[in-house]
Amino acid sequence: MSAAEDNLTAVLYNVNDLRLENRPIPVPKDDEVLLEMHCVGICGSDVHYLVKGAIGDFVVKEPMIMGHEASGVVAKIGKDVKNLKPGDRVAIEPGVPCRRCSFCKEGNYNLCPDIIFCATPPCHGNLTRYYAHAADFCYKLPDYLSMEEGALLEPLSVGVHACRKANVTLGSTVLITGSGPIGLVSLIAAKAMGASKVLVTDVVTQRLNLAKGFGADGVLSIRKYDTETSLAEKVKEALGGSPSVCIECSGAESSIRLSLVAVKSGGTVVLVGMGPSEVKVPLINACCREVVIKGVFRYANDYSLALDLLANGKVDIRKMITHHFSIEETIQAYDTARTGQGNPVKVMIHCNK
Ligand code: NAD
Ligand code: ZN
């Protein structure tokens, strides 16, 4: 790297105040690699920080570098790094836990209270040209996977984690509510894990068409005046019985209610969507039917599985990317994601020159 090399970086200073500036190129620690960043996708949470400055208790108080759905190429390695070498193309798992607490030791490192997660305040993200990351949270990409696919491993890992939590397996019948990027990756994961039928709901027809393109066995358009009882009937009809698993990916209260009502007795509802902090649900009905309700937070030990899922080549997850921008066009990229103009699904930013 020459001294003239810039490190253009996207920094969120305040609500709707996103700036591009040159930051020093980091020096990797002994167990880290320096990455030349390639692809960084924009996620709903990034847009939320831009527009609201906070998600729940996570508040942007200091300028924060954006970006966490990312891939890059190893430029330098720290002295203790054994698993990677310069030139390796990698997907970056954005959360590095403490490795010492009881959650980490149990393997539930996504619950580590001291996790450093890219672009979750106060931690910086990786929407920059050069970025240092723990080497063991970088996954070498085989030649046949693109850098875009590497970045998409992040949302895909959410889908894989949700399906594992729900014990989706051969023969499962699955209802997925919400057909945004997270609903779509849950659909991809559910099909890959052997679900026999997957039905996807949304309020937007274009989103339902995407679900069809990713192998949904059926789609259900939700209208304002639909009642959850009538919808549960339609779900049952479409799947040939009540679903054994519901994966809620919209955050909408009505979808959470539908999931609880539609799932078969003894079935599992996993809550991935994060909407209002408090919602009203028909809990006693679910309780009397022994419905298992599980929360889902990011992922743990799912990146390798997500990589394997793409490696068989059956799914072209890149179809999810509707818009491409260079890092110099970051403000436009975020405007596209924020306004929804041009019906974006996944907006991808390219950091290399
Ligand atoms: P998104 O907003 O792009 O997608 C949500 C979809 O739900 C949209 O297509 C929308 O039209 C649809 N929808 C809205 N109301 C609906 C209704 N009543 N019925 C059916 N569909 C409805 O968001 P996304 O990026 O796909 O993320 C989905 C949710 O998952 C968000 O709430 C996000 O915060 C959450 N999320 C959770 C985790 C986690 O670790 N638990 C990780 C990533 C995202
Ligand atoms: Zn920990």
Side-chain angles (χ1 to χ4, degrees), residues 43-45 55 154-155 158 161 176-184 201-204 207 220 222 248-255 258 271-275 295-299 344-346:
C43 155
S45 66
I55 296 180
E154 201 280 340
V158 175
H161 189 66
I176 295 177
T177 47
S179 187
I182 294 299
L184 294 174
T201 74
D202 207 289
V203 289
V204 179
R207 293 269 161 127
L220 184 60
I222 308 288
E248 202 306 291
C249 301
S250 74
E253 178 173 302
S254 59
S255 287
L258 172 61
L271 301 173
V272 189
M274 291 182 184
V296 169
F297 191 55
R298 297 172 178 157
Y299 33 74
V345 179
K346 184 55 70 186

Side-chain angles (χ1 to χ4, degrees), residues 1-7 25 76 130 353:
M1 259 164 289
S2 71
E5 201 88 58
D6 76 74
N7 190 25
I25 294 175
K76 264 188 193 170
Y130 290 99
K353 286 200 174 146

Side-chain angles (χ1 to χ4, degrees), residues 13-33:
Y13 272 79
N14 227 315
V15 169
N16 292 322
D17 182 6
L18 179 59
R19 304 181 200 170
L20 280 168
E21 60 188 33
N22 205 5
R23 291 258 173 146
I25 294 175
V27 177
K29 295 187 190 124
D30 292 349
D31 61 350
E32 287 184 341
V33 289

